[in-house]
């Protein structure tokens, strides 16, 4: 509770006016799996995106993907394709679509939808095994999605 | 230059895929009994696998070696505690398991066939349910907690006397509807991560998910001693953990859902030898 409150405060302070224009998960518009519009209107920070992608407690993308640029992160998974060069294969809008909800780009994808809040079967309260409660939130908030997308666009080879 | 990098990457990927395959090895128990740890896929999974493979093949060499020798297998200590319980008189009838069943060796044919339809009770019973039925109705003793220490130790004993006998659960007749319910659960994408058992254990076994080498999720080795928590783990606790890790509201040990899931998952390993208590990481 206290943490949530603090987070809202921090968000409000750091994003200022942009906070008001944030696109909530249910309003994101997909075109052929891609999302043209920034979710926040604030440019993503690739450095922060890099941290999110490698952090087990946040994006945890390396659970399924190998990324040479993150060679310092041990134990990278092989369930999904290697992400080296993904920024050359996909446009920024496509990457935003893939990170927000990969199922819009790849049918039945095993990749989780990182910016979605409904349509789940028995959603839980994080990793407790208990049912979800009022604190249920997308896996990544809007600015984190933008940060991750900004990082992915740098992976050109 | 770019092509060279691509070739290099392809080579590296191929190398890492090879090392992630299940190892080619044979489990010989105490230098005597060869355990069937891979075999032609049974009916339930013939359309998705050529072969079913025990989780033993997906573990490191030291872990595999530990299981091959009863003196090194920490799970066997718990099976011995199970044997003490077997001989303990309890309840209003002043009986122990041994009073009626004599030696645990008489149970060698039991583990491979469970979960199993019980005609009198009109239900599919797991081994745990059957044990508690004997405690309550034949001994006049209190039920054990479904995944509590005593129960897990007893199931370790009953698995240990069945080692080297093939899993053979019936999935037709009166058990069929339960089996189908279990199958439905197996393919349901649970939780915020929307992952089904099949996503990980059918489509991606042999691959790495973070630090874990994904196996087929077979249950012929249960209860398993896990190096991670240094204790014996009941099969329903494993199911619970796997569902929890999809950021889902999980089910309870002993719930109708997990009973059905256990029957279904067991049938995916029909033909593999019982190897519990197995050792895993």
């Amino acid at each position: 509770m206290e943490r949530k409150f603090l987070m809202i405060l921090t968000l409000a302070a750091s994003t200022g006016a942009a906070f008001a224009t944030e696109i909530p998960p249910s309003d994101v518009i997909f075109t052929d799996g891609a999302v043209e519009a920034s979710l926040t209107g604030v440019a993503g920070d690739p450095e922060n995106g890099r941290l999110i992608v490698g952090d087990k407690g946040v994006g945890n993308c390396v659970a399924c993907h190998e990324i040479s640029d993150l060679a310092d992160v041990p134990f990278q998974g092989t369930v999904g394709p290697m992400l080296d060069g993904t920024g050359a294969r996909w446009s920024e809008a496509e990457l935003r679509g893939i990170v927000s909800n990969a199922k819009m780009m790849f049918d039945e994808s095993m990749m989780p939808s990182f910016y979605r809040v409904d349509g789940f079967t028995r959603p839980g309260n994080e990793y407790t095994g208990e049912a979800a409660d009022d604190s249920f939130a997308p896996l990544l908030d809007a600015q984190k999605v933008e940060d991750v997308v900004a990082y992915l666009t740098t992976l050109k080879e | 230059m770019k092509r060279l990098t691509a070739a290099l990457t392809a080579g590296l990927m191929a190398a890492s895929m090879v090392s992630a395959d299940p190892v080619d090895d044979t489990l010989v128990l105490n230098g005597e009994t060869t355990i069937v740890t891979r075999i032609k896929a049974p009916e339930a999974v013939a359309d998705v696998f050529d072969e079913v493979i025990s989780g033993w093949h997906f573990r490191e060499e030291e872990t595999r070696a530990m299981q091959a020798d009863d003196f090194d297998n920490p799970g066997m200590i718990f099976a011995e505690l199970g044997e003490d319980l077997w001989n303990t008189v309890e309840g209003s009838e002043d009986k122990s398991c041994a009073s009626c069943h004599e030696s645990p060796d008489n149970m060698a044919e039991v583990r491979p066939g469970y979960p199993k339809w019980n005609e009198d009770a009109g239900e599919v019973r797991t081994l745990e349910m059957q044990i508690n039925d004997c405690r309550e109705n034949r001994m006049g003793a209190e039920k054990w907690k479904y995944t509590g220490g005593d129960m897990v130790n007893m199931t370790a004993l009953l698995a240990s006397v069945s080692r080297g006998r093939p899993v053979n659960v019936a999935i037709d007749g009166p058990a069929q509807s339960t089996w189908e319910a279990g199958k439905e659960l197996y393919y349901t994408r649970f939780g915020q991560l929307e992952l089904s058992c099949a996503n990980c254990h059918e489509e991606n076994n042999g691959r790495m998910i973070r630090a874990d080498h994904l196996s087929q999720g077979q249950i012929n080795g249960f209860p398993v001693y896990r190096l991670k928590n240094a204790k014996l783990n009941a099969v329903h606790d494993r199911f619970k953990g796997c569902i929890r890790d999809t950021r889902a509201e999980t089910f309870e040990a002993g719930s109708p859902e997990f009973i059905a899931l256990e029957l279904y998952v067991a049938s995916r390993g029909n033909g593999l030898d019982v190897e519990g208590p197995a050792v895993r990481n």
Side-chain angles (χ1 to χ4, degrees):
Chain A
M1 191 61 203
E2 196 174 48
R3 226 175 112 191
K4 204 172 149 198
F5 183 64
L6 266 176
M7 262 179 59
I8 292 169
L9 267 183
T10 331
L11 255 179
S14 66
T15 56
F19 187 60
T21 63
E22 186 174 302
I23 302 173
S26 42
D27 292 353
V28 179
I29 296 165
F30 290 85
T31 315
D32 296 328
V35 174
E36 289 294 337
S38 161
L39 302 179
T40 59
V42 176
D45 169 4
E47 271 309 304
N48 195 41
R50 186 174 185 274
L51 296 176
I52 294 168
V53 167
D55 188 332
K56 196 175 174 195
V58 195
N60 199 18
C61 316
V62 290
C64 292
H65 295 287
E66 291 178 300
I67 308 173
S68 306
D69 181 52
L70 289 177
D72 51 321
V73 178
F75 306 124
Q76 305 193 1
T78 55
V79 165
M82 199 176 204
L83 292 187
D84 292 10
T86 198
R89 288 191 289 278
W90 303 97
S91 70
E92 183 191 311
E94 287 167 333
L95 289 169
R96 187 180 289 110
I98 294 172
V99 177
S100 302
N101 183 0
K103 281 140 188 126
M104 303 299 279
M105 183 69 79
F106 314 110
D107 246 8
E108 310 266 300
S109 182
M110 186 167 156
M111 179 161 152
S113 305
F114 285 88
Y115 197 61
R116 213 183 93 210
V117 285
D118 44 26
F120 300 108
T121 305
R122 293 177 76 88
N125 183 357
E126 301 189 3
Y127 292 104
T128 60
E130 306 288 326
D133 59 20
D134 293 349
S135 66
F136 192 77
L139 292 165
L140 293 176
D141 66 34
Q143 194 56 46
K144 291 202 177 85
V145 172
E146 290 303 324
D147 293 351
V148 168
V149 170
Y151 171 61
L152 295 176
T153 59
T154 70
L155 300 177
K156 295 287 189 202
E157 45 188 273
Chain B
M1 189 59 202
K2 206 159 180 184
R3 281 184 60 174
L4 186 71
T5 325
L8 261 175
T9 322
L12 276 175
M13 291 256 295
S16 74
M17 292 311 270
V18 167
S19 70
D21 277 340
V23 258
D24 200 3
D25 196 356
T26 306
L27 175 55
V28 182
L29 215 55
N30 304 316
E32 289 169 355
T33 318
T34 303
I35 303 287
V36 174
T37 51
R38 52 198 310 168
I39 194 166
K40 187 172 170 298
E43 187 192 333
V45 280
D47 54 335
V48 289
F49 292 142
D50 294 332
E51 220 188 2
V52 286
I53 306 171
S54 158
W56 183 78
H57 283 279
F58 295 80
R59 308 279 59 99
E60 300 293 331
E61 190 171 355
E62 311 83 75
T63 315
R64 295 199 308 276
M66 228 184 229
Q67 193 184 317
D69 187 324
D70 282 359
F71 286 107
D72 295 337
N73 180 347
M76 288 308 288
I77 296 165
F78 297 95
E80 276 169 33
L81 294 176
E83 188 148 10
D84 295 341
L85 290 169
W86 182 265
N87 294 310
T88 305
V89 173
E90 264 190 274
S92 57
E93 304 304 303
D94 266 333
K95 285 194 171 21
S96 68
C97 316
S99 316
C100 297
H101 297 293
E102 297 173 17
S103 162
D105 292 332
N106 291 336
M107 291 270 153
E109 294 295 344
V110 175
R111 172 73 271 181
Y114 274 78
K116 176 175 145 187
W117 175 258
N118 182 297
E119 192 60 48
D120 295 337
E123 64 186 9
V124 169
R125 274 192 183 163
T126 61
L127 195 57
E128 286 87 344
M129 289 162 77
Q130 177 60 50
I131 291 168
N132 266 341
D133 184 73
C134 281
R135 285 186 58 82
E136 244 192 330
N137 300 317
R138 309 219 180 247
M139 296 168 66
E142 294 226 338
K143 281 196 198 180
W144 280 327
K145 186 168 171 279
Y146 198 91
T147 57
D150 290 340
M151 182 62 91
V152 181
N153 293 345
M154 181 59 75
T155 59
L157 172 68
L158 296 187
S160 72
V161 298
S162 300
R163 288 181 298 172
R165 290 173 197 250
V167 174
N168 184 20
V169 295
I171 63 177
D172 51 0
Q176 193 183 340
S177 59
T178 306
W179 180 82
E180 269 159 13
K183 181 173 185 182
E184 177 85 31
L185 289 164
Y186 196 87
Y187 287 96
T188 300
R189 299 188 62 167
F190 287 113
Q192 191 173 12
L193 300 185
E194 299 183 293
L195 295 170
S196 68
C197 315
N199 281 144
C200 285
H201 294 297
E202 181 173 297
E203 294 158 22
N204 284 292
N205 70 78
R207 299 216 173 95
M208 301 299 294
I209 190 154
R210 197 92 199 202
D212 288 312
H213 189 194
L214 283 168
S215 73
Q216 291 184 349
Q218 297 288 356
I219 57 175
N220 59 312
F222 277 82
V224 305
Y225 182 85
R226 290 189 67 187
L227 303 170
K228 184 180 163 183
N229 58 14
K231 68 179 187 81
L232 265 190
N233 296 260
V235 67
H236 287 195
D237 275 342
R238 179 40 117 164
F239 291 171
K240 230 175 147 171
C242 277
I243 294 191
R244 182 199 60 215
D245 288 350
T246 66
R247 297 175 77 107
E249 177 188 3
T250 191
F251 299 96
E252 289 307 314
S255 63
E257 288 85 1
F258 277 171
I259 295 165
L261 187 60
E262 182 181 341
L263 174 63
Y264 176 70
V265 178
S267 78
R268 292 174 68 99
N270 267 351
L272 290 173
D273 279 352
V274 171
E275 56 174 83
V279 184
R280 302 286 187 260
N281 52 331

